[in-house]
Coordinates of all heavy atoms in Angstrom, one line a residue:
M94 N -2.2 24.6 -14.7 CA -2.4 23.8 -13.6 C -1.9 22.4 -13.7 O -1.5 21.7 -12.8 CB -3.9 23.9 -13.3 CG -4.3 23.2 -11.9 SD -3.5 23.9 -10.5 CE -4.9 24.3 -9.5
E95 N -2.1 21.8 -14.9 CA -1.7 20.4 -15.2 C -0.1 20.2 -14.9 O 0.2 19.3 -14.3 CB -2.0 20.0 -16.6 CG -1.5 18.6 -16.9 CD -2.7 17.7 -17.4 OE1 -3.7 18.1 -17.5 OE2 -2.3 16.6 -17.9
K96 N 0.5 21.1 -15.2 CA 2.1 21.0 -15.1 C 2.4 21.1 -13.5 O 3.3 20.2 -13.0 CB 2.8 22.3 -15.7 CG 4.3 22.1 -15.6 CD 4.9 23.2 -16.4 CE 6.5 23.0 -16.2 NZ 7.3 24.1 -16.8
T97 N 1.7 21.9 -12.7 CA 1.8 21.8 -11.4 C 1.6 20.4 -10.8 O 2.3 19.9 -9.9 CB 0.9 22.9 -10.7 OG1 1.3 24.2 -11.3 CG2 1.1 22.9 -9.2
H98 N 0.5 19.7 -11.2 CA 0.1 18.5 -10.8 C 1.1 17.4 -11.1 O 1.5 16.6 -10.2 CB -1.3 18.0 -11.3 CG -2.4 18.8 -10.8 ND1 -2.7 19.0 -9.4 CD2 -3.4 19.4 -11.5 CE1 -3.8 19.6 -9.4 NE2 -4.3 19.9 -10.5
L99 N 1.8 17.6 -12.3 CA 2.8 16.6 -12.7 C 4.0 16.9 -11.8 O 4.6 15.9 -11.3 CB 3.1 16.8 -14.1 CG 2.1 16.3 -15.2 CD1 2.5 16.6 -16.6 CD2 1.9 14.8 -15.0
N100 N 4.4 18.1 -11.5 CA 5.4 18.5 -10.6 C 5.3 17.9 -9.3 O 6.2 17.4 -8.7 CB 5.8 19.9 -10.6 CG 6.3 20.4 -12.0 OD1 6.9 19.7 -12.7 ND2 6.2 21.8 -12.2
V101 N 4.1 18.0 -8.7 CA 3.8 17.4 -7.4 C 4.0 15.9 -7.4 O 4.6 15.3 -6.5 CB 2.4 17.9 -6.9 CG1 2.1 17.2 -5.7 CG2 2.4 19.4 -6.7
A102 N 3.4 15.3 -8.4 CA 3.5 13.9 -8.5 C 4.9 13.4 -8.7 O 5.4 12.5 -8.1 CB 2.6 13.5 -9.6
F103 N 5.7 14.1 -9.5 CA 7.1 13.8 -9.6 C 7.9 13.9 -8.3 O 8.7 13.2 -8.0 CB 7.8 14.8 -10.7 CG 9.2 14.5 -11.0 CD1 9.6 13.3 -11.8 CD2 10.2 15.3 -10.5 CE1 10.9 13.0 -12.1 CE2 11.5 15.0 -10.8 CZ 11.9 14.0 -11.6
G104 N 7.6 15.0 -7.6 CA 8.2 15.2 -6.3 C 8.0 14.2 -5.3 O 8.9 13.6 -4.7
Y105 N 6.6 13.8 -5.2 CA 6.3 12.7 -4.3 C 7.0 11.3 -4.8 O 7.5 10.6 -3.9 CB 4.8 12.6 -4.1 CG 4.3 13.5 -3.1 CD1 3.5 14.6 -3.6 CD2 4.7 13.4 -1.8 CE1 3.0 15.5 -2.7 CE2 4.2 14.4 -0.9 CZ 3.4 15.5 -1.3 OH 2.9 16.4 -0.5
L106 N 7.0 11.2 -6.0 CA 7.7 9.9 -6.6 C 9.2 10.0 -6.2 O 9.7 8.9 -5.9 CB 7.5 9.8 -8.1 CG 8.2 8.6 -8.8 CD1 7.7 7.3 -8.2 CD2 7.9 8.6 -10.2
S107 N 9.8 11.1 -6.5 CA 11.2 11.2 -6.0 C 11.4 10.9 -4.5 O 12.4 10.3 -4.2 CB 11.7 12.7 -6.3 OG 11.7 13.0 -7.7
I108 N 10.6 11.3 -3.7 CA 10.6 11.1 -2.3 C 10.5 9.6 -2.0 O 11.3 9.0 -1.2 CB 9.6 11.8 -1.4 CG1 9.9 13.4 -1.4 CG2 9.5 11.4 0.0 CD1 8.9 14.3 -1.1
L109 N 9.5 8.9 -2.6 CA 9.3 7.5 -2.5 C 10.6 6.8 -2.9 O 11.1 5.9 -2.3 CB 8.2 7.1 -3.3 CG 7.9 5.6 -3.4 CD1 7.6 5.0 -2.0 CD2 6.8 5.2 -4.3
L110 N 11.3 7.2 -4.0 CA 12.4 6.5 -4.5 C 13.6 6.8 -3.5 O 14.4 5.9 -3.4 CB 12.7 7.0 -5.9 CG 11.9 6.5 -7.0 CD1 12.2 7.1 -8.5 CD2 11.9 4.9 -7.2
G111 N 13.5 8.0 -3.0 CA 14.7 8.3 -2.0 C 14.5 7.4 -0.8 O 15.6 6.9 -0.4
Y112 N 13.4 7.2 -0.3 CA 13.2 6.2 0.9 C 13.6 4.8 0.5 O 14.3 4.2 1.3 CB 11.8 6.4 1.5 CG 11.7 7.5 2.3 CD1 10.8 8.5 2.1 CD2 12.4 7.6 3.6 CE1 10.7 9.7 2.9 CE2 12.2 8.7 4.4 CZ 11.4 9.8 4.0 OH 11.2 10.8 4.9
L113 N 13.2 4.4 -0.8 CA 13.5 3.0 -1.2 C 15.0 3.0 -1.3 O 15.6 1.9 -1.1 CB 12.7 2.8 -2.4 CG 11.3 2.6 -2.4 CD1 10.7 2.4 -3.8 CD2 10.9 1.4 -1.5
A114 N 15.7 4.0 -1.8 CA 17.1 4.0 -2.1 C 18.0 4.0 -0.8 O 19.2 3.7 -0.8 CB 17.6 5.3 -2.9
L115 N 17.4 4.1 0.3 CA 18.0 3.9 1.5 C 18.4 2.4 1.8 O 19.3 2.1 2.5 CB 17.2 4.4 2.8 CG 17.0 5.9 3.0 CD1 16.0 6.3 4.1 CD2 18.2 6.7 3.0
H116 N 17.7 1.6 1.1 CA 18.0 0.1 1.1 C 19.1 -0.2 0.0 O 18.8 0.2 -1.3 CB 16.6 -0.7 0.8 CG 16.8 -2.2 0.9 ND1 17.1 -2.8 1.9 CD2 16.6 -3.1 -0.2 CE1 17.2 -4.1 1.8 NE2 16.9 -4.2 0.5
K117 N 20.1 -0.7 0.3 CA 21.3 -0.8 -0.7 C 21.0 -1.5 -2.0 O 21.5 -0.9 -3.0 CB 22.4 -1.5 0.0 CG 23.7 -1.5 -0.7 CD 24.9 -2.1 0.0 CE 26.2 -2.0 -0.8 NZ 27.4 -2.5 0.0
P118 N 20.3 -2.5 -2.0 CA 20.0 -3.2 -3.4 C 19.2 -2.2 -4.3 O 19.5 -2.2 -5.5 CB 19.3 -4.4 -3.1 CG 19.6 -4.7 -1.7 CD 19.8 -3.4 -0.9
V119 N 18.3 -1.5 -3.7 CA 17.5 -0.5 -4.5 C 18.4 0.6 -5.0 O 18.4 1.0 -6.1 CB 16.3 0.1 -3.6 CG1 15.6 1.1 -4.5 CG2 15.3 -1.1 -3.2
R120 N 19.3 1.1 -4.1 CA 20.2 2.2 -4.4 C 21.1 1.8 -5.6 O 21.3 2.6 -6.5 CB 20.9 2.7 -3.1 CG 21.8 3.9 -3.3 CD 22.3 4.3 -2.0 NE 23.1 3.3 -1.3 CZ 22.7 2.8 -0.2 NH1 21.6 3.0 0.2 NH2 23.5 1.9 0.4
Q121 N 21.5 0.6 -5.5 CA 22.5 0.2 -6.6 C 21.7 0.0 -7.8 O 22.3 0.4 -9.0 CB 23.1 -1.2 -6.2 CG 24.1 -1.0 -4.9 CD 24.5 -2.4 -4.5 OE1 23.8 -3.4 -4.5 NE2 25.8 -2.5 -4.0
K122 N 20.5 -0.5 -7.8 CA 19.8 -0.6 -9.1 C 19.4 0.8 -9.7 O 19.6 1.1 -10.8 CB 18.4 -1.3 -8.7 CG 17.6 -1.5 -9.9 CD 18.2 -2.5 -10.9 CE 17.3 -2.7 -12.1 NZ 17.9 -3.6 -13.2
L123 N 19.1 1.7 -8.7 CA 18.8 3.1 -9.3 C 20.1 3.7 -9.9 O 20.0 4.3 -11.0 CB 18.3 4.1 -8.2 CG 16.9 3.8 -7.7 CD1 16.7 4.6 -6.4 CD2 15.9 4.2 -8.7
K124 N 21.2 3.5 -9.2 CA 22.6 4.1 -9.7 C 22.8 3.4 -11.1 O 23.3 4.1 -12.1 CB 23.6 3.8 -8.7 CG 23.6 4.8 -7.5 CD 24.5 4.3 -6.5 CE 26.1 4.2 -6.9 NZ 26.9 4.1 -5.7
S125 N 22.7 2.1 -11.2 CA 23.1 1.4 -12.4 C 22.2 1.8 -13.6 O 22.5 1.7 -14.7 CB 23.2 -0.1 -12.1 OG 21.8 -0.6 -12.0
S126 N 20.9 2.1 -13.3 CA 19.9 2.3 -14.4 C 20.0 3.7 -14.8 O 19.3 4.2 -15.9 CB 18.5 1.9 -14.0 OG 18.1 2.8 -12.9
H127 N 20.6 4.7 -14.0 CA 20.6 6.1 -14.4 C 22.0 6.4 -15.2 O 23.0 5.9 -15.0 CB 20.6 7.0 -13.1 CG 20.3 8.5 -13.6 ND1 21.2 9.4 -13.9 CD2 19.1 9.1 -13.4 CE1 20.6 10.5 -14.3 NE2 19.4 10.3 -14.0
S128 N 21.8 7.3 -16.3 CA 22.9 7.6 -17.2 C 24.1 8.2 -16.3 O 25.2 8.0 -16.8 CB 22.4 8.4 -18.3 OG 22.0 9.8 -17.8
A129 N 23.7 8.9 -15.3 CA 24.8 9.5 -14.5 C 25.4 8.5 -13.6 O 26.6 8.8 -13.0 CB 24.2 10.6 -13.6
K130 N 25.0 7.3 -13.4 CA 25.5 6.3 -12.5 C 25.7 6.8 -11.1 O 26.7 6.5 -10.4 CB 26.9 5.8 -13.1 CG 26.7 5.1 -14.5 CD 25.8 3.9 -14.4 CE 25.8 3.4 -15.8 NZ 24.6 2.7 -16.2
S131 N 24.7 7.6 -10.8 CA 24.7 8.1 -9.3 C 23.3 8.4 -8.9 O 22.3 8.5 -9.8 CB 25.5 9.4 -9.3 OG 24.8 10.5 -9.3
I132 N 23.1 8.6 -7.7 CA 21.7 9.1 -7.2 C 21.7 10.6 -6.9 O 20.7 11.1 -6.5 CB 21.5 8.3 -5.9 CG1 22.5 8.7 -4.7 CG2 21.3 6.8 -5.9 CD1 22.0 8.2 -3.3
G133 N 22.8 11.3 -7.5 CA 22.7 12.8 -7.4 C 21.5 13.5 -8.0 O 20.9 14.2 -7.4
P134 N 21.0 13.0 -9.2 CA 19.8 13.6 -9.7 C 18.6 13.3 -8.8 O 17.8 14.1 -8.8 CB 19.7 12.8 -11.1 CG 21.1 12.5 -11.5 CD 21.7 12.1 -10.2
L135 N 18.5 12.2 -8.3 CA 17.3 12.0 -7.3 C 17.4 12.9 -6.1 O 16.4 13.4 -5.7 CB 17.5 10.4 -6.9 CG 16.3 10.1 -5.7 CD1 15.0 10.1 -6.4 CD2 16.6 8.6 -5.3
I136 N 18.5 13.0 -5.6 CA 18.8 13.9 -4.4 C 18.4 15.4 -4.9 O 17.7 16.1 -4.1 CB 20.2 14.0 -3.9 CG1 20.5 12.5 -3.3 CG2 20.5 15.0 -2.9 CD1 22.0 12.3 -2.9
G137 N 18.8 15.7 -6.1 CA 18.4 17.1 -6.6 C 16.9 17.2 -6.7 O 16.4 18.3 -6.5
S138 N 16.3 16.2 -7.2 CA 14.7 16.3 -7.4 C 14.1 16.4 -6.0 O 13.2 17.2 -5.8 CB 14.3 14.9 -8.0 OG 14.7 14.8 -9.3
I139 N 14.6 15.7 -4.9 CA 14.0 15.8 -3.6 C 14.3 17.3 -3.0 O 13.4 17.9 -2.5 CB 14.7 14.7 -2.7 CG1 14.2 13.4 -3.2 CG2 14.1 14.9 -1.3 CD1 15.0 12.2 -2.5
R140 N 15.5 17.8 -3.3 CA 15.8 19.1 -2.9 C 14.8 20.2 -3.5 O 14.4 21.1 -2.8 CB 17.3 19.5 -3.1 CG 18.3 18.8 -2.2 CD 19.7 19.4 -2.5 NE 20.8 18.7 -1.8 CZ 21.0 19.1 -0.5 NH1 20.4 20.1 -0.1 NH2 21.9 18.6 0.1
E141 N 14.7 19.9 -4.8 CA 13.7 21.0 -5.5 C 12.3 20.7 -4.9 O 11.6 21.8 -4.7 CB 13.7 20.5 -6.9 CG 12.9 21.4 -7.9 CD 13.0 21.1 -9.3 OE1 14.0 20.5 -9.7 OE2 12.1 21.5 -10.0
F142 N 11.9 19.7 -4.5 CA 10.5 19.4 -4.0 C 10.5 20.1 -2.6 O 9.5 20.8 -2.3 CB 10.2 17.9 -3.8 CG 8.8 17.7 -3.2 CD1 7.7 17.9 -3.9 CD2 8.7 17.5 -1.8 CE1 6.4 17.7 -3.4 CE2 7.5 17.4 -1.3 CZ 6.3 17.4 -2.0
I143 N 11.4 20.0 -1.8 CA 11.6 20.7 -0.5 C 11.4 22.0 -0.8 O 10.6 22.9 0.0 CB 12.8 20.3 0.2 CG1 12.8 18.8 0.7 CG2 13.0 21.3 1.4 CD1 14.1 18.3 1.1
A144 N 12.2 22.7 -1.6 CA 12.1 24.2 -1.9 C 10.6 24.6 -2.4 O 10.2 25.5 -1.8 CB 13.2 24.6 -3.0
H145 N 10.1 23.9 -3.2 CA 8.7 24.2 -3.8 C 7.7 24.0 -2.5 O 6.8 24.9 -2.3 CB 8.3 23.3 -4.9 CG 9.0 23.7 -6.2 ND1 8.8 24.9 -6.7 CD2 9.9 23.0 -6.9 CE1 9.6 24.9 -7.8 NE2 10.2 23.8 -7.9
Y146 N 7.9 23.0 -1.7 CA 7.0 22.7 -0.7 C 7.0 24.0 0.4 O 6.1 24.4 1.0 CB 7.3 21.4 -0.1 CG 6.4 21.0 1.1 CD1 5.2 20.3 0.9 CD2 6.7 21.4 2.5 CE1 4.4 20.0 1.8 CE2 5.9 21.0 3.4 CZ 4.7 20.3 3.2 OH 3.8 19.9 4.2
E147 N 8.3 24.3 0.7 CA 8.5 25.3 1.6 C 7.9 26.7 1.2 O 7.2 27.4 1.9 CB 10.1 25.6 1.9 CG 10.5 24.6 2.8 CD 12.0 24.8 3.1 OE1 12.8 25.1 2.1 OE2 12.4 24.6 4.2
Q148 N 7.9 27.0 -0.2 CA 7.4 28.2 -0.8 C 5.8 28.1 -0.6 O 5.3 29.1 -0.2 CB 7.7 28.3 -2.2 CG 9.0 28.7 -2.5 CD 9.4 28.7 -4.1 OE1 8.6 28.3 -4.9 NE2 10.4 29.3 -4.4
V149 N 5.2 27.1 -0.9 CA 3.8 26.8 -0.7 C 3.3 27.1 0.7 O 2.5 27.8 1.1 CB 3.4 25.5 -1.3 CG1 1.8 25.3 -1.0 CG2 3.4 25.5 -2.8
E150 N 4.2 26.3 1.6 CA 3.7 26.4 3.0 C 4.0 27.8 3.6 O 3.2 28.2 4.4 CB 4.5 25.4 3.8 CG 4.1 24.0 3.6 CD 2.6 23.7 4.0 OE1 2.2 24.2 5.2 OE2 1.9 23.1 3.2
N151 N 5.0 28.5 3.2 CA 5.2 29.8 3.6 C 4.1 30.8 3.2 O 3.6 31.6 3.9 CB 6.6 30.3 3.2 CG 7.9 29.7 4.0 OD1 7.6 29.2 5.0 ND2 8.9 29.7 3.2
A152 N 3.6 30.6 2.0 CA 2.5 31.5 1.4 C 1.3 31.2 2.2 O 0.5 32.2 2.6 CB 2.3 31.3 0.0
I153 N 1.0 29.9 2.6 CA -0.2 29.5 3.3 C -0.1 30.1 4.8 O -1.0 30.6 5.3 CB -0.4 28.1 3.4 CG1 -0.8 27.6 1.9 CG2 -1.5 27.6 4.4 CD1 -0.8 26.1 1.8
S154 N 1.1 29.9 5.4 CA 1.2 30.3 6.8 C 1.1 31.9 7.0 O 0.8 32.4 8.0 CB 2.5 29.9 7.4 OG 3.7 30.4 6.9
E155 N 1.6 32.6 5.9 CA 1.4 34.0 5.9 C 0.0 34.6 5.9 O -0.3 35.6 6.6 CB 2.1 34.8 4.7 CG 3.5 34.7 4.7 CD 4.2 35.2 3.4 OE1 3.4 35.9 2.5 OE2 5.4 35.2 3.3
R156 N -0.9 33.8 5.5 CA -2.3 34.0 5.4 C -3.0 33.5 6.8 O -4.1 33.9 7.2 CB -3.1 33.4 4.4 CG -2.8 34.0 3.0 CD -3.6 33.4 1.9 NE -2.7 32.9 0.9 CZ -2.9 31.9 0.2 NH1 -4.0 31.1 0.3 NH2 -2.0 31.5 -0.7
Q157 N -2.3 32.7 7.5 CA -2.8 32.1 8.8 C -2.1 32.8 9.9 O -1.5 34.0 9.8 CB -2.7 30.7 8.7 CG -3.5 30.0 7.7 CD -3.2 28.6 7.7 OE1 -2.3 28.0 8.2 NE2 -4.1 27.8 6.9
D158 N -2.1 32.2 11.0 CA -1.4 32.8 12.2 C 0.0 32.6 12.3 O 0.7 32.9 13.3 CB -2.1 32.1 13.5 CG -3.5 32.4 13.6 OD1 -4.0 33.5 13.2 OD2 -4.3 31.6 14.2
G159 N 0.6 32.3 11.3 CA 2.1 31.9 11.3 C 2.4 30.6 11.8 O 3.7 30.4 12.0
D160 N 1.5 29.7 12.0 CA 1.9 28.4 12.4 C 2.7 27.8 11.3 O 2.5 27.9 10.1 CB 0.5 27.6 12.6 CG -0.2 28.0 13.8 OD1 0.4 28.6 14.7 OD2 -1.3 27.7 13.9
R161 N 3.6 26.9 11.7 CA 4.4 26.2 10.7 C 4.5 24.8 11.0 O 5.5 24.2 11.4 CB 5.7 26.8 10.7 CG 5.8 28.3 10.3 CD 7.2 28.9 10.3 NE 8.1 28.3 9.5 CZ 8.4 28.5 8.2 NH1 7.8 29.4 7.5 NH2 9.4 27.9 7.6
P162 N 3.3 24.0 10.9 CA 3.3 22.6 11.1 C 4.1 21.8 10.2 O 4.4 20.6 10.5 CB 1.8 22.3 11.2 CG 1.2 23.2 10.1 CD 2.0 24.5 10.4
H163 N 4.5 22.3 9.1 CA 5.2 21.6 8.1 C 6.8 21.4 8.4 O 7.4 20.7 7.8 CB 5.1 22.2 6.7 CG 5.9 23.5 6.6 ND1 5.4 24.7 7.2 CD2 7.0 23.8 5.9 CE1 6.3 25.6 6.8 NE2 7.3 25.1 6.1
V164 N 7.1 22.1 9.4 CA 8.6 22.1 9.7 C 9.1 20.7 9.9 O 10.1 20.3 9.5 CB 8.9 23.1 10.9 CG1 10.3 22.9 11.3 CG2 8.7 24.5 10.5
S165 N 8.3 19.9 10.6 CA 8.8 18.6 11.0 C 8.9 17.7 9.6 O 9.7 16.8 9.6 CB 8.0 17.9 12.0 OG 6.7 17.8 11.6
Y166 N 7.8 18.0 8.7 CA 7.8 17.2 7.4 C 9.2 17.7 6.7 O 9.8 16.8 6.1 CB 6.6 17.6 6.7 CG 6.5 16.9 5.4 CD1 6.4 15.5 5.3 CD2 6.4 17.6 4.2 CE1 6.2 14.9 4.1 CE2 6.4 16.9 3.0 CZ 6.3 15.5 3.0 OH 6.1 14.9 1.7
V167 N 9.4 19.0 6.6 CA 10.5 19.4 5.8 C 11.9 18.8 6.5 O 12.7 18.4 5.8 CB 10.6 20.9 5.7 CG1 12.0 21.4 5.3 CG2 9.4 21.5 4.9
E168 N 11.9 18.8 7.8 CA 13.2 18.3 8.5 C 13.2 16.8 8.1 O 14.3 16.3 8.0 CB 13.0 18.5 10.0 CG 13.1 20.0 10.5 CD 12.8 20.2 11.8 OE1 12.3 19.3 12.5 OE2 13.1 21.2 12.4
G169 N 12.2 16.1 8.1 CA 12.2 14.6 7.8 C 12.8 14.6 6.3 O 13.5 13.6 6.0
L170 N 12.3 15.4 5.3 CA 12.9 15.3 4.0 C 14.3 15.7 4.0 O 15.1 15.1 3.2 CB 12.1 16.2 3.1 CG 10.6 15.7 2.9 CD1 9.9 16.8 1.9 CD2 10.5 14.3 2.3
Q171 N 14.7 16.7 4.7 CA 16.2 17.1 4.8 C 16.9 16.0 5.3 O 18.1 15.8 4.8 CB 16.3 18.4 5.5 CG 15.7 19.5 4.8 CD 15.5 20.9 5.5 OE1 15.5 20.8 6.9 NE2 15.6 22.0 4.9
E172 N 16.4 15.3 6.4 CA 17.2 14.1 6.8 C 17.4 13.1 5.8 O 18.4 12.4 5.6 CB 16.5 13.6 8.1 CG 17.2 12.4 8.7 CD 18.4 12.6 9.3 OE1 18.8 13.7 9.7 OE2 19.2 11.6 9.3
L173 N 16.3 12.9 5.0 CA 16.4 11.9 3.9 C 17.6 12.3 3.0 O 18.3 11.4 2.6 CB 15.0 11.7 3.2 CG 15.0 10.9 1.8 CD1 15.4 9.4 2.0 CD2 13.7 11.2 1.2
V174 N 17.5 13.5 2.6 CA 18.5 14.0 1.6 C 20.0 13.8 2.2 O 20.9 13.3 1.7 CB 18.4 15.5 1.3 CG1 19.6 16.1 0.6 CG2 17.1 15.7 0.4
Q175 N 20.1 14.0 3.6 CA 21.4 13.8 4.3 C 21.8 12.4 4.2 O 22.9 12.0 3.9 CB 21.3 14.4 5.6 CG 22.7 14.4 6.4 CD 23.7 15.1 5.7 OE1 23.5 16.3 5.4 NE2 24.8 14.5 5.5
Q176 N 20.8 11.5 4.5 CA 21.2 10.0 4.6 C 21.5 9.6 3.2 O 22.5 8.7 2.9 CB 20.0 9.3 5.0 CG 19.7 9.3 6.4 CD 18.5 8.6 6.9 OE1 17.9 7.7 6.2 NE2 17.8 9.0 8.1
L177 N 20.9 10.0 2.2 CA 21.2 9.6 0.7 C 22.6 10.2 0.3 O 23.3 9.5 -0.3 CB 20.2 10.2 -0.3 CG 18.8 9.4 -0.1 CD1 17.9 10.2 -1.1 CD2 18.9 8.1 -0.5
E178 N 22.9 11.5 0.7 CA 24.3 12.0 0.4 C 25.2 11.2 1.2 O 26.3 11.0 0.5 CB 24.3 13.5 0.8 CG 23.5 14.4 -0.1 CD 23.4 15.9 0.4 OE1 23.6 16.1 1.6 OE2 23.2 16.7 -0.4
D179 N 25.1 10.7 2.3 CA 26.0 10.0 3.0 C 26.3 8.7 2.4 O 27.4 8.2 2.2 CB 25.5 9.6 4.5 CG 25.6 10.9 5.5 OD1 26.2 11.9 5.1 OD2 25.0 10.9 6.5
H180 N 25.2 8.1 1.9 CA 25.4 6.7 1.2 C 26.1 7.0 -0.2 O 26.9 6.2 -0.5 CB 23.9 6.2 0.8 CG 23.4 5.6 2.1 ND1 23.9 4.5 2.7 CD2 22.1 5.8 2.7 CE1 23.1 4.1 3.8 NE2 22.0 5.0 3.7
A181 N 25.8 8.2 -0.9 CA 26.4 8.4 -2.1 C 27.9 8.6 -1.9 O 28.8 8.2 -2.6 CB 25.8 9.6 -2.7
A182 N 28.3 9.3 -0.8 CA 29.7 9.6 -0.5 C 30.6 8.4 -0.2 O 31.7 8.2 -0.5 CB 29.8 10.6 0.7
R183 N 29.7 7.3 0.3 CA 30.5 6.1 0.7 C 30.5 5.1 -0.5 O 31.3 4.2 -0.5 CB 29.7 5.5 1.8 CG 29.9 6.0 3.1 CD 29.3 5.1 4.2 NE 28.2 5.8 4.8 CZ 27.0 5.4 5.1 NH1 26.8 4.0 5.0 NH2 26.1 6.1 5.5
G184 N 29.8 5.5 -1.6 CA 29.8 4.7 -2.8 C 28.7 3.7 -2.9 O 28.2 2.9 -3.0

């Protein structure tokens, strides 16, 4: 269970860093401080969180009436990934 908590915390930290990285000076600092000199690993972490989040929500919604209130949250995270990828492509 402890590993799950750490993964969740890491996922939310990745999302926070992703939103901060939309600001150019922060993005440049993240890029320069990472060994890959890119925000690709950050994007990968956010994608992984989205996948885990969807798995949990799908399991919960199967037990309920099939409501999917998390869709807008997931869409927001996917939009974040798209924006970060656009910034990464521009350099």
